[in-house]
Amino acid sequence: MTRLLPAISGRLHSSLHREECTQCFISQDSPSGAYVCLHCFNGSCVDNRHLELHAQKTKHVFYLHVLRTKKEKEERGEPPAKMTKLAIVEEKEEDLYEWKTVLGFWNGSFFKSIEEEAGLDPTKAKELKEGIMLSMSSGRQSEVKAWEEEFEGCEHGFLIAPEGGKQIDAQGTAHCNDCDLTTNLWLCLTCGNLGCGRQQYGGAPSGNGHGLAHFDKTKHHMSVKLGTITPEGGADVHCYTCNDSRLLPQLKDHLAVWGININVLTKTEKSMTELQIDQNLKYDFSMSSSSDEEEHPVFGPGLTGLKNLGNSYKWRGRYTLDRIEHHWKTCTETRSAECFECQISKVAHGLTTGAFSVPSTIPTEKWQDGLRPTGFKELIGKGHPEFATMKQQDAEEFLVWVLETYRRDLFKRKHQGDASDEDPTETFGFGFEQRLECLECKKVRYSTEDADVVSVAIDAVEDGKIEDDKPKYKPVSLDSALRSVIHAPSPSMSSVQQPGELLTAYKCPSCSKPTTALKSTLFSTLPETLVIHAKKFKVVGWVPQKLEIPLLLPDDVILEFTQEWVGTGQKEGEVLLPEDEGEDEPEPEPTFNEMALIQIESMGFPVLHAKKALLAVGGENVEGAMEWLFSKVGDPSLDEPLTTSKKKKGGKGGKESTEEQISIALGECDGNAERAVEWLFSHPDETPFSGSSSADDAPAESKPVPTPKGSKTTPARYKLLAFISHKGPSVHSGHYVAHIRHPQEGWVLFNDEKVGRVSEESVKEMRKEAYVYFWKRI
């Protein structure tokens, strides 16, 4: 141990897990405390034998036992002094808690202290313990990194030409030039106008939008929020032209023009980042239709809440306890915090067992404390531009990303011989069947595509106004929304009508000329758990806005799909469209950024043109896509079907990467495509089909036949299991909650750590406004 001390002290900047076990939510606040490995800084516990398992796997023997308890608050005889200005002060942990730390070793059966043993330098031991306790934990490091905002400058900062000539009133006495507001004031850096900001969601700070109105009138690009200026040069600087916060290195000089000396200023107002953090962390979101709906807290298995991590998403998975415990015992990864299966098992164990669904330790709090899945969030966010941050996150996109990430990880572990064949994500899997018919030669082509979510666009038809002159929208039935995507014949259709989408200027390979084709989509298979994503938004002034469109579900909340909804492939008498020798084999259509598509469509461009433009500019650059479209005005190729190709049929050439190889590469590189390409070239012998011949050259009988996900059995009946709702005016801010049908408690509302039983009547109203629906096959 004495020889180990200097080596440990030199590595305290590494990922250090001292707050809780990396495989479950037993923490330093639990009665048994947490154990920090002094060799690798992994966090373990004794309750679920994770310390024993870690020691067996790694042969690490020395640990620091950490136990934290809350201090009793001192009663104060007088109220605290009134705050006259904003001061964000961190409440120090040492004022709230006290710690007990013990150095020891694991002897194979139990933890034994070594603090009284001869030969242990007490000074060095104390320094080691203090170093570990003062080091920023891994969870805290990831939270801080995610909250950091990297502002950039823009060209408009160089265009500022201050007119000068007047002095701004002293701090605290200035007011908006168009109203009497004295807070939330924005100084125009061009002319010195003082305009109040926009009203923030939640009501604070107040504002009438006169700063924005000034920009609309003058087109002066940039303003600074007066109350946020600090002597260090920090401040909220907003570029109205870019509609974003910006960095302005010359801010000090620009302010001096108006007689403002930043060296004597005091920060008196919250920055926009602080306001966003406050909204996400402290706002008491209520998603009930009546004020008493959250007055019935419930506890037990399947009723565990998740603490708000500052951004907003909901994830509640389905995992068996046997599977979790099996992985605990068999996982070969020594760094559990970096094992995806360990982290998803940790969350599943915490949510399902009920061990953490108990009343809060705070006497005045009726709700549970909730779990903080920071380790899972950090790992799942790697390689994703949104989920690695604390920005508002889309629930449907997050679900799809979790499923994709899990499958990549599962494939990697199977390749390494470290996973079973069971895939819990298969419950969501199903297929679409697409049928293309040339209306001139009547020949057809079929293709199938795997999916996990049915996304339906909800038509927005205004039906009057409500309060604040907001539009009211006509309700839309779920059946009609589904039929806009799945082209099953409706009872009102005649026998000669064919549902689907007409494609003009289709280049038919049989007719050898442009014709009209009919494209239709059905299910090819149906899933065990059906996820329906209701897209209710539009773009206003380049900003996506959420629409409150009621979606009407069946009264009995039962969906039924008969044979008409499920495709059967080529029918008797149908002739397939030919594929010319050397014709490109079609590849599934690439995934497009939903918000970017909506913005381009809102400008009046067809969805086909929007997709082609995004492909041309690399995916998400809306401005670049618009420029590309304007340069292609009148080009007939814009109306040609969107096609991508994988390889030439029958062609000879270099060895290609198979889907399995690509999956392995992505798994090894945390989903980073650029690194995955480099990995493929540098690891040719570590991929499954890396021989002298490619997979396509192998005998037909040796090729693996993919098993379709889902089932073709009909009729298929589904019952509503859960739904996710979003509160907030924008897709970029707000809060998600989940309603879940519990087998014993009925409908339960999960609002962060607030988990409470709600009435059937409340659910009937709330489900109309939901964003994502989960249906279980019965």
Side-chain angles (χ1 to χ4, degrees), residues 325-345:
E325 292 179 345
H326 173 76
H327 180 74
W328 284 349
K329 296 174 182 177
T330 59
C331 179
T332 58
E333 174 60 68
T334 59
R335 299 162 297 179
S336 300
E338 298 178 21
C339 172
F340 186 78
E341 180 78 6
C342 280
Q343 293 310 303
I344 203 168
S345 296

Side-chain angles (χ1 to χ4, degrees), residues 72-212:
E72 292 187 10
K73 287 190 175 181
E74 298 181 4
E75 295 293 333
R76 299 196 179 193
E78 56 185 34
K82 181 181 177 181
M83 292 181 67
T84 57
K85 60 184 179 183
L86 176 68
I88 300 177
V89 180
E90 179 185 6
E91 196 169 14
K92 295 182 178 180
E93 284 195 330
E94 53 264 34
D95 296 332
L96 302 174
Y97 302 96
E98 58 185 5
W99 284 264
K100 179 182 179 182
T101 57
V102 179
L103 285 172
F105 73 95
W106 179 257
N107 69 356
S109 302
F110 58 88
F111 177 80
K112 179 176 175 59
S113 171
I114 59 172
E115 300 218 352
E116 304 299 327
E117 290 193 3
L120 181 66
D121 187 330
T123 302
K124 290 184 177 180
K126 181 181 179 182
E127 289 176 356
L128 171 63
K129 292 198 291 185
E130 289 179 348
I132 289 176
M133 298 307 295
L134 292 175
S135 294
M136 187 180 292
S137 68
S138 177
R140 183 60 177 165
Q141 286 181 37
S142 64
E143 287 182 345
V144 169
K145 182 180 178 181
W147 271 119
E148 288 175 346
E149 290 194 64
E150 297 182 3
F151 295 128
E152 298 178 349
C154 68
E155 65 272 20
H156 305 113
F158 298 101
L159 301 177
I160 298 174
E163 298 171 1
K166 67 177 180 180
Q167 300 290 299
I168 301 301
D169 292 340
Q171 189 173 11
T173 62
H175 64 83
C176 174
N177 288 356
D178 296 296
C179 67
D180 295 328
L181 288 179
T182 58
T183 59
N184 191 18
L185 298 181
W186 293 78
L187 170 69
C188 174
L189 293 174
T190 299
C191 68
N193 179 77
L194 281 179
C196 58
R198 287 167 275 193
Q199 176 78 40
Q200 297 300 308
Y201 183 65
S206 59
N208 297 314
H210 290 137
L212 177 60

Side-chain angles (χ1 to χ4, degrees), residues 2 7 215 252 319 361 397 400 422 521 639 660 691 713 769:
T2 302
F215 164 73
K252 180 178 180 180
Y319 249 53
T361 54
E397 290 179 6
V400 172
E422 183 185 0
T521 301
D639 294 313
E660 289 83 359
T713 305
E769 312 298 334

